[in-house]
Amino acid sequence: MRKIATAVAALVVLALPMGGAASASESTPAPAPGQRTADPLPPAPAAQVPFGTASLCDGQSCTGLDPMRARSSVDGSRCTLDAYTPSDQFGPARIASPEGLIELVYSPHCHANWARISHSSPGAWVWVQTLGNEVQQNYVPAGRNNTHTGMVDGYTLTRAGAAYGYTRFM
């Protein structure tokens, strides 16, 4: 019985999102052999995140820019032109969570990704994270039910999420 209680307690700890400056090794106990660990989530921002100014970009140079204002340095097209939610054999990179509908968005013109949240409420948090741990995040502003993050490099695997869920890396 004690082993079951210990296992349940360990799973509860692993299911909780991690934040702050603590590393994953400081925040969670070591997993048992063969046991999966929860992916660490990026920390929530303290306030609404301002975007970089509109400019030309491609891939890494798009980091932090607003996808609604940035343009491709390759062909001059808006980064939102032909942007889409990528899919794989398991379906599109979107999830429904208590915060709203969260989507990973990819721009083929700018080779950049960003996260979008809709059907949400003011104060909901959304983030986008590359496999290399590059993170952009934002809150839904007052009076709105949607927002998006700044962009990250689209040449690497990326995922989008919020406090209660995230997409797989695509």
Side-chain angles (χ1 to χ4, degrees), residues 119-157:
H119 307 289
S120 190
S121 57
W125 170 55
V126 63
W127 51 263
V128 63
Q129 177 187 33
T130 66
L131 194 57
N133 208 29
E134 177 184 348
V135 176
Q136 292 291 313
Q137 47 199 342
N138 209 351
Y139 283 109
V140 175
R144 304 248 330 254
N145 67 359
N146 59 56
T147 195
H148 58 276
T149 65
M151 295 187 285
V152 295
D153 186 359
Y155 287 109
T156 183
L157 292 174

Side-chain angles (χ1 to χ4, degrees), residues 66-81:
D66 184 349
M68 303 305 153
R69 298 188 329 200
R71 292 183 172 273
S72 169
S73 62
V74 175
D75 62 10
S77 299
R78 295 182 65 94
C79 290
T80 55
L81 181 66

Side-chain angles (χ1 to χ4, degrees), residues 17 41 95 97 99-100 102 117 124-127 160-167:
L41 302 179
I95 61 162
S97 78
E99 294 95 343
I102 299 147
I117 188 169
W125 170 55
V126 63
W127 51 263
Y164 294 104
Y166 47 86
T167 67

Side-chain angles (χ1 to χ4, degrees), residues 48-74:
Q48 186 77 14
V49 179
F51 291 118
T53 58
S55 66
L56 297 176
C57 69
D58 184 66
Q60 182 66 36
S61 66
C62 292
T63 298
L65 296 179
D66 184 349
M68 303 305 153
R69 298 188 329 200
R71 292 183 172 273
S72 169
S73 62
V74 175

